[in-house]
Amino acid sequence: MIRSLLSGDTPRSLPLALLLGGILICLALAPFLFPGVRTVDTAARICVFIVLVASYDLLLGYGGIVSFAHTMFFGIGAYGVALASTHMGRGFDAIAFGAVAGALLAAALALVIGLFSLRVRAIFFAMITLAVASAVAVLVSQLSGLTGGEDGLTFKTPRELGPAFKFGKEAFDGTLFGVKLNGKLLAYYFVFLGALVLFLGLLRVVNSPFGRVLQAIRENDFRAEAIGYRVVYYRVAATCLSAAIAALAGSLYAVWLRYVGPDTSLSMEIMIDILLMVVIGGMGTMYGAVIGATLFVLAQNYLQNLMGAAAELTSALPLLPELLNADRWLLWLGVLFILSVYFFPTGIVGRLRNSG
Amino acid sequence: MSDAILKLEGVYTNIAQYHILQGVDLEVPRGAVTMLLGRNGVGKTTTLRTVIGHWRAHQGKILFDGEDITKMPTPAIARMGLGFVPEDMGIFADLTVEENMVLAAASGPINSARLDWIFAAFPPLKTFWKSDAGTLSGGQKQMLSIARAMVEERKLYLIDEPTKGLAPAIISTMARALKDLKDQGASVLLVEQNFAVAKALGDSANVMDDGRMIWSGQMQELATDAALQERLMGLSLEAH
């Protein structure tokens, strides 16, 4: 059962399996294990980024295609939901319509970019995605009438997904294990289940014959052609699929935040974060996305606190509290990345699998 | 000749500014093993790569099974029934042996009788069926590379130096497998530097020099005529 859910791609290493199992349990029970606005928000971000990074890994790790437009597709999905909810009124139909329209638009855009540039060399694709992504980011901030410009859009999701919606009053007195049963809890599970389904879907794709052909093309595209596979078709299909999944991840994120803006869904910074998450977790394995996204989002959210606490603890010592000052968290984040790439060149998953 | 499976007529191929093939004429008869011989750098590999479409012929015509494939895309040529084993083997190292083979059987599931035949010819492939192809030894990789071409019945096999850099024991395994293929009546165009293997397998032979075909005839004739070998290839191949 578990095997078929994972499409036969088991972790193949006990520490990795334990780690993934731990992450799954923590995310599945996050609102109950770590109640609090900030912790649940972090958990939701992790869910969204796992899907986003996994869809990028389909391109980079399996297809060997470098793209800089992944946040653009992410943003298209997010803006799709925001615009649909704004214009159609709050409702699940608006979310569904926005998400599907966003995914289709992302796939169509990826198709055009892919057909133009993937016929030649992969490097042109990277450059064109960079150009298109920058253009779209500028466009979104300029078309402020439609997109809200730099301020972004705040919109309403269905009442059932908002904090004002309460349920289970009769059965559980409105709380379960001390956690209030409200729409925010439902919104979290909406994001969690959506991310889980998308992730398992991606796992299915990379372990299908299609995924194998992609890997073959990444290793030796001429050989794959000589066996009879049309390399361009496969590359373009992978690009479209990855764009559509990224857009769906964007839709989930928009549903969670009830807000979209260039900073949360379109900026180049997120693109670089995605790249780092893929590399830290391990390229060419979907589980790398899980580990990379979890570690990265946790570090982004909690390293500052951790360092503040460490600085206080060491306040009696010379120099150390200065180095550990919470304001220097970005420095340490950078050091952590360099160390992780140095010690785990194949990513954390690659390392765990090899040592097992 | 109507029973030629592959025919090259005056093929010129340039790679960058280099004129590698300068009017190659070649006929590969159906159901026989045709050797392509010659010193290093005379254009043997380029000839095979031009047939499969990796390099494009700038002039001339390539007919495969009666159809003009000169301008066809590589995947389409491969799907017409042309199995290519490149010099660098080109196995997919990150995939398992099984996945390599399944990918190579592009038209459907692997025929089990054919797989048994391949396992009999190359026992290590059965042993390492579930292992990553990157962990195989050089000889085993070459076996996999040839097995990938043999996994489906092809109209023609193009095989580029299958015994290059291999240990003698593995060369004989390879030669036996190719002999098997030949006995099944397959059409093969084989580039081979190991003259003992070439002599044992070849029905006809074509010798290239400087981007052209300089001699075509029966392998037997070339094998027994040391002076001819000396003249065509600049050295006595028996000395290898």
Side-chain angles (χ1 to χ4, degrees):
Chain A
M1 162 79 179
I2 289 180
R3 229 190 140 74
S4 68
L5 261 180
L6 299 180
S7 313
D9 187 4
T10 51
R12 297 207 307 271
S13 145
L14 185 62
L16 180 60
L18 293 176
L19 199 58
L20 291 169
I23 292 174
L24 178 67
I25 290 170
C26 286
L27 288 177
L29 301 175
F32 298 99
L33 290 177
F34 320 101
V37 175
R38 184 154 171 223
T39 44
V40 176
D41 184 62
T42 306
R45 268 177 66 88
I46 291 175
C47 292
V48 169
F49 272 89
I50 286 175
V51 175
L52 183 61
V53 173
S55 66
Y56 190 68
D57 196 37
L58 170 67
L59 263 196
L60 183 67
Y62 287 85
I65 304 166
V66 180
S67 158
F68 291 107
H70 216 61
T71 39
M72 177 182 80
F73 298 129
F74 183 60
I76 288 175
Y79 274 90
V81 166
L83 289 171
S85 297
T86 309
H87 296 289
M88 291 170 62
R90 68 195 320 189
F92 285 103
D93 54 341
I95 292 180
F97 177 79
V100 170
L104 290 179
L105 178 66
L109 203 56
L111 178 74
V112 173
I113 299 176
L115 282 182
F116 265 111
S117 52
L118 281 174
R119 303 183 69 85
V120 266
R121 288 223 188 101
I123 186 73
F124 293 117
F125 180 78
M127 285 154 68
I128 289 180
T129 54
L130 189 59
V132 174
S134 311
V136 167
V138 171
L139 206 64
V140 167
S141 81
Q142 294 300 313
L143 290 173
S144 51
L146 184 67
T147 62
E150 289 294 322
D151 294 335
L153 289 172
T154 307
F155 59 94
K156 289 191 167 126
T157 50
R159 227 179 76 76
E160 290 79 7
L161 299 180
F165 176 76
K166 310 259 194 287
F167 64 97
K169 278 221 176 75
E170 296 83 28
F172 304 107
D173 204 18
T175 60
L176 186 63
F177 304 120
V179 177
K180 278 186 197 144
L181 297 176
N182 63 16
K184 203 66 191 163
L185 188 70
L186 291 184
Y188 177 77
Y189 281 105
F190 182 81
V191 171
F192 172 75
L193 290 176
L196 189 65
V197 168
L198 287 175
F199 181 78
L200 292 177
L202 274 171
L203 208 54
R204 185 79 207 88
V205 168
V206 298
N207 289 297
S208 68
F210 172 77
R212 293 285 170 268
V213 175
L214 271 187
Q215 280 176 292
I217 290 172
R218 178 197 65 198
E219 280 198 45
N220 192 333
D221 54 352
F222 170 62
R223 239 352 254 154
E225 281 209 317
I227 289 176
Y229 296 101
R230 284 166 226 263
V231 168
V232 181
Y233 290 2
Y234 279 90
R235 282 197 174 137
V236 170
T239 312
C240 292
L241 188 64
S242 143
I245 305 268
L248 290 175
S251 302
L252 286 178
Y253 201 37
V255 169
W256 175 251
L257 292 178
R258 287 176 289 159
Y259 161 80
V260 289
D263 289 342
T264 55
S265 57
L266 277 174
S267 74
M268 206 50 188
E269 251 171 68
I270 301 178
M271 188 66 241
I272 290 168
D273 290 351
I274 296 174
L275 269 171
L276 284 170
M277 291 184 220
V278 168
V279 172
I280 291 170
M283 271 196 274
T285 149
M286 283 291 138
Y287 297 123
V290 178
I291 310 261
T294 306
L295 279 183
F296 193 94
V297 176
L298 281 180
Q300 261 185 335
N301 282 284
Y302 290 107
L303 190 61
Q304 213 170 350
N305 300 24
L306 196 69
M307 283 176 55
E312 242 168 63
L313 276 179
T314 55
S315 56
L317 302 168
L319 196 65
L320 216 53
E322 276 303 304
L323 271 176
L324 291 174
N325 190 318
D327 289 343
R328 297 195 212 292
W329 72 282
L330 272 174
L331 169 78
W332 289 102
L333 198 59
V335 170
L336 281 180
F337 293 147
I338 293 171
L339 290 179
S340 75
V341 172
Y342 185 79
F343 287 108
F344 309 121
T346 49
I348 294 171
V349 170
R351 180 60 184 250
L352 285 177
R353 277 187 168 166
N354 286 341
S355 66
Chain B
M1 206 160 71
S2 61
D3 65 339
I5 179 85
L6 179 76
K7 204 167 171 184
L8 278 75
E9 295 171 359
V11 169
Y12 286 76
T13 301
N14 305 340
I15 301 176
Q17 73 270 40
Y18 304 106
H19 301 247
I20 310 289
L21 301 189
Q22 304 183 20
V24 170
D25 295 304
L26 174 66
E27 261 187 38
V28 179
R30 214 180 278 271
V33 176
T34 307
M35 305 301 305
L36 190 56
L37 305 170
R39 292 176 292 118
N40 285 330
V42 297
K44 303 186 296 293
T45 294
T46 306
T47 304
L48 297 195
R49 289 189 165 195
T50 306
V51 172
I52 189 79
H54 185 198
W55 302 120
R56 289 288 158 194
H58 293 83
Q59 208 180 309
K61 208 165 162 190
I62 305 169
L63 297 169
F64 175 50
D65 203 16
E67 256 189 81
D68 188 350
I69 60 163
T70 320
K71 296 202 176 343
M72 243 188 223
T74 301
I77 299 174
R79 282 174 184 272
M80 280 180 69
L82 212 155
F84 178 50
V85 180
E87 201 177 0
D88 62 5
M89 304 182 259
I91 58 151
F92 305 124
D94 277 357
L95 302 184
T96 63
V97 171
E98 179 183 13
E99 288 164 344
N100 268 274
M101 294 290 282
V102 170
L103 278 179
S107 64
I110 301 178
N111 175 317
S112 67
R114 215 163 163 87
L115 192 62
D116 288 341
W117 167 54
I118 289 172
F119 282 159
F122 302 124
L125 296 187
K126 191 170 187 180
T127 316
F128 297 108
W129 187 238
K130 298 273 180 197
S131 310
D132 281 350
T135 61
L136 298 179
S137 74
Q140 289 160 352
K141 282 180 186 160
Q142 185 63 270
M143 291 177 195
L144 175 57
S145 184
I146 292 178
R148 252 183 355 187
M150 300 197 318
V151 69
E152 284 189 338
E153 194 174 344
R154 322 272 183 191
K155 289 183 193 158
L156 173 67
Y157 298 84
L158 299 181
I159 305 178
D160 199 355
E161 298 210 31
T163 64
K164 195 169 101 177
L166 299 184
I170 300 183
I171 291 182
S172 52
T173 305
M174 212 62 78
R176 260 201 309 278
L178 293 172
K179 178 79 170 43
D180 244 18
L181 194 63
K182 174 184 166 154
D183 291 345
Q184 291 191 356
S187 314
V188 181
L189 176 60
L190 180 62
V191 171
E192 182 56 73
Q193 299 273 27
N194 183 316
F195 202 69
V197 174
K199 200 163 70 175
L201 288 173
D203 295 310
S204 60
N206 298 269
V207 183
M208 288 184 78
D209 196 18
D210 217 6
R212 284 186 195 84
M213 217 53 79
I214 54 167
W215 188 85
S216 296
Q218 291 305 304
M219 188 67 216
Q220 198 55 35
E221 191 184 334
L222 182 65
T224 47
D225 190 342
L228 184 63
Q229 290 168 26
E230 174 82 34
R231 182 164 66 76
L232 293 173
M233 288 172 270
L235 71 166
S236 168
L237 287 172
E238 295 286 15
H240 269 4

